[in-house]
Amino acid sequence: MTALPLEKAGEARGELTRQRILDAAQKLFSEHGSNGVSLRAITAEAGANSAAANYHFGSKMGLLEAVFARHATGIADERETLLQDCRAEPGRPPLLEQIVRAFLEPGMRGQHGGNGFARFRGRMLAENTEQTRELYARYFNDSTGQFLDALQDALPDLSSHDLHWRFHIMLGTMVYTLANPGRIQILSNGDCDPSDPGQALDTLVPMIAQLFRNPTMSPARTSETLHDINSIQAK
Amino acid sequence: MTALPLEKAGEARGELTRQRILDAAQKLFSEHGSNGVSLRAITAEAGANSAAANYHFGSKMGLLEAVFARHATGIADERETLLQDCRAEPGRPPLLEQIVRAFLEPGMRGQHGGNGFARFRGRMLAENTEQTRELYARYFNDSTGQFLDALQDALPDLSSHDLHWRFHIMLGTMVYTLANPGRIQILSNGDCDPSDPGQALDTLVPMIAQLFRNPTMSPARTSETLHDINSIQAK
DNA sequence: GTCTATAGCTGGATAGAC
DNA sequence: GTCTATCCAGCTATAGAC
């Protein structure tokens, strides 16, 4: 597509082929999962041959890792940068909204979240194989820990147990949104579209921030306390 | 394993083999996805041969559908029965908690949710292929619509748009919990265990009910209104 | 109803020309 | 660096004995 100045035809074409294979792999892995698509199909989509993929990436698994690594570090870095900018200050959104957005946004749009990598990531998470678990832990465990700490600081009265469970809800929502099963689009006749990153972020960030902010309701006292809470919160 | 009295050796063994193949398929599909495991591996686990599986189910895809159908109808029926029992009444949990639990519980434990089918279902949802989407829609669209209606009745002031988005969060949490990526267990040092259905339901039901109950916060006025809301809700 | 054997195919990986 | 050609493992599905 883009016509780059070619200094050395060989090298430049090599880079382009490598890039095209990565792009095709990201697209097809996203659509069919890592086991649902063949190396042959990927390289055909890229206008190359399966031998080229093995030359550049060693194996199909190497290709999968390369697709992942291409953007994962960028997402983790962007998250941490955004987190460091979060602070409670007049004229800014509430701190919790800032933290939640800092966690969700880098993976959902922008340099590393857009162009299909979001969907790829959602699918890798959903597949939940030994390999993808290891990859995900290696690239994201650090920054995730930082966000848990920041959330606990912002919510000192929330128990660690509840904090982690709400984080679990946020992760599930993120993964489900990225994987885009298209279910709520149909059920809402197209009114809700989680595959639109702008709409998804603007809608989910306040909902999830509010979820973190809700008071603890221990299961045992659910039925007694909720009447009081309803009378305060219900519109 | 179980030594049943055999009246007619042929028929009884047939049923047992069929059952063992279904059980093995459910287990291995759950662990590796529908493309990650071979018919040979399934029938080996069941102590049978791949020909037996094809005899009983026609094809590998037929086997997948049979595993799904074995419990899906039961879950949808149980959901609808539970939903019809939901009502606001002194001495019972709040209506919203009842509805949320009626939706989540049948798939997470009991006759149709336990014994690994929960995990199988989570993985099928996560795989999100044309076939699994179709299966899921066929078996669950009706009851899901009923729950959306019941929730809208219970929350007349919540916009349809917000209602669907919150339902999206509930679906994502359910799928992520069923698929059990094990991530929050590690991050919380084992304190949170979404793979324990009792703990998961008792924790998630009040959190999600509260999520539905939260007031609408349009993205545009997020920063202004949240300070008021904080002062009411923050502990 | 269950088995063995196998046909027929697909896909990952490699050898070697260019 | 990229191609063609090919090897071989592993899969689904079926034929046919029992």
Side-chain angles (χ1 to χ4, degrees), chain B residues 21-22 25 29 33-35 37-39 42 50 53-70 120 124 127 129-135 138-139:
Chain B
I21 292 173
L22 277 174
F29 280 150
S34 58
N35 279 330
V37 70
S38 68
L39 209 49
I42 291 169
S50 72
N54 279 307
Y55 170 77
H56 283 290
F57 306 103
S59 69
K60 189 184 182 182
M61 185 174 116
L63 175 57
L64 185 81
E65 289 205 21
V67 173
F68 190 87
R70 182 160 66 143
F120 170 81
M124 292 306 103
E127 276 197 2
T129 64
E130 185 54 42
Q131 186 200 2
T132 59
R133 260 197 307 271
E134 192 276 323
L135 276 175
R138 178 144 48 91
Y139 282 92

Side-chain angles (χ1 to χ4, degrees), chain A residues 94 97 206 209-210 213, chain B residues 217 221-231:
Chain A
E97 269 77 353
Q210 193 59 22
R213 201 145 29 207
Chain B
M217 259 152 304
R221 54 192 184 90
T222 294
S223 49
E224 306 97 76
T225 55
L226 271 172
H227 292 99
D228 310 334
I229 290 155
N230 289 355
S231 62

Side-chain angles (χ1 to χ4, degrees), chain B:
Chain B
M1 242 26 102
T2 322
L4 291 179
L6 301 185
E7 296 172 12
K8 286 181 168 182
E11 281 181 20
R13 266 212 66 215
E15 272 316 293
L16 284 180
T17 296
R18 192 191 149 93
Q19 217 60 30
R20 279 203 317 273
I21 292 173
L22 277 174
D23 290 341
Q26 181 169 298
K27 180 187 168 203
L28 293 179
F29 280 150
S30 305
E31 288 169 2
H32 307 108
S34 58
N35 279 330
V37 70
S38 68
L39 209 49
R40 285 164 142 92
I42 291 169
T43 48
E45 168 94 14
N49 189 277
S50 72
N54 279 307
Y55 170 77
H56 283 290
F57 306 103
S59 69
K60 189 184 182 182
M61 185 174 116
L63 175 57
L64 185 81
E65 289 205 21
V67 173
F68 190 87
R70 182 160 66 143
H71 290 303
T73 311
I75 288 178
D77 289 349
E78 199 179 329
R79 272 186 182 162
E80 294 180 24
T81 303
L82 288 175
L83 180 61
Q84 278 154 15
D85 280 344
C86 290
R87 58 187 183 280
E89 201 177 270
R92 304 191 60 160
L95 181 60
L96 221 46
E97 268 78 353
Q98 293 179 49
I99 298 175
V100 169
R101 184 175 278 268
F103 186 80
L104 295 179
E105 185 151 19
M108 290 178 75
R109 69 171 165 199
Q111 194 182 354
H112 304 291
N115 296 322
F117 184 63
R119 200 171 167 206
F120 170 81
R121 203 169 128 243
R123 188 170 263 286
M124 292 306 103
L125 273 167
E127 276 197 2
N128 190 25
T129 64
E130 185 54 42
Q131 186 200 2
T132 59
R133 260 197 307 271
E134 192 276 323
L135 276 175
Y136 205 77
R138 178 144 48 91
Y139 282 92
F140 289 118
N141 264 4
D142 275 1
S143 71
T144 300
Q146 290 181 32
F147 275 83
L148 280 166
D149 291 344
L151 287 167
Q152 186 69 82
D153 286 348
L155 298 163
D157 293 329
L158 191 66
S159 72
S160 165
H161 186 260
D162 262 37
L163 179 77
H164 281 94
W165 268 102
R166 292 170 199 209
F167 202 83
H168 174 75
I169 294 177
M170 179 169 71
L171 288 178
T173 301
M174 181 184 73
V175 172
Y176 192 67
T177 301
L178 291 175
N180 187 28
R183 203 137 169 72
I184 208 69
Q185 286 96 319
I186 291 168
L187 292 167
S188 70
N189 285 317
D191 182 39
C192 301
D193 185 8
S195 70
D196 171 359
Q199 181 185 159
L201 281 167
D202 287 345
T203 311
L204 290 177
V205 166
M207 281 186 190
I208 292 174
Q210 193 59 22
L211 171 78
F212 276 110
R213 200 145 32 207
N214 279 335
T216 295
M217 259 152 304
S218 81
R221 54 192 184 90
T222 294
S223 49
E224 306 97 76
T225 55
L226 271 172
H227 292 99
D228 310 334
I229 290 155
N230 289 355
S231 62
I232 295 174
Q233 289 199 335
K235 204 178 139 209

Side-chain angles (χ1 to χ4, degrees), chain A residues 118-137:
Chain A
R119 202 171 165 205
F120 169 82
R121 203 168 127 242
R123 190 170 261 288
M124 292 306 102
L125 274 167
E127 277 196 1
N128 191 24
T129 64
E130 185 53 42
Q131 186 201 2
T132 58
R133 260 197 307 273
E134 190 276 325
L135 276 175
Y136 206 76

